[in-house]
Amino acid sequence: KKPSASKIINRQIPDAPHRILDAPELKDDYYLNLLSWSDTNVLAVALGPTVYLWDATSGGIDELCTLEGGGDAHISSVAWVQEGGSHLAVGASDGSTQLWDVHAVKQLRSMEG
């Protein structure tokens, strides 16, 4: 016998958003990666020179870090380590990359680029 065709599943998509997050200073640049969602349900958001963590479970917001130097310095990318949700890589506009332990709120390493 031939395998049965897969069924089409209809999903209900809401018309209104469940939650709206205010994001001032979110740079409008296609080449930047300013959002990253961890497998522990935490969203990292880069707003200007600062990285914030939003816990989707509790709704809490914490500031992780702010770049030194001022001026045009800004975060260019954020990315979680694949599993565990406790380490975040933060790329800066000057080419440097920082590795952070978000539970300890501590920078583990900085690599110049």
Side-chain angles (χ1 to χ4, degrees), residues 37-43 54-57 80 83-86 102-103:
W37 203 291
S38 77
D39 62 353
T40 58
N41 214 18
V42 176
L43 179 67
W54 176 65
D55 187 329
T57 305
W80 291 98
E83 293 180 11
S86 63
V102 299
H103 295 304

Side-chain angles (χ1 to χ4, degrees), residues 12-96:
Q12 179 67 12
I13 299 175
D15 294 333
H18 173 70
R19 181 165 299 201
I20 297 174
L21 300 177
D22 188 25
E25 295 187 56
L26 183 68
K27 292 201 172 286
D28 184 14
D29 188 330
Y30 176 79
Y31 296 101
L32 302 180
N33 296 307
L34 303 177
L35 301 170
S36 185
W37 203 291
S38 77
D39 62 353
T40 58
N41 214 18
V42 176
L43 179 67
V45 182
L47 301 175
T50 307
V51 175
Y52 295 93
L53 304 173
W54 176 65
D55 187 329
T57 305
S58 69
I61 299 171
D62 296 308
E63 182 178 322
L64 178 65
C65 64
T66 299
L67 290 180
E68 302 290 325
D72 290 334
H74 63 271
I75 306 293
S76 57
S77 64
V78 291
W80 291 98
V81 173
Q82 292 298 323
E83 293 180 11
S86 63
H87 294 93
L88 183 72
V90 177
S93 58
D94 66 358
S96 64

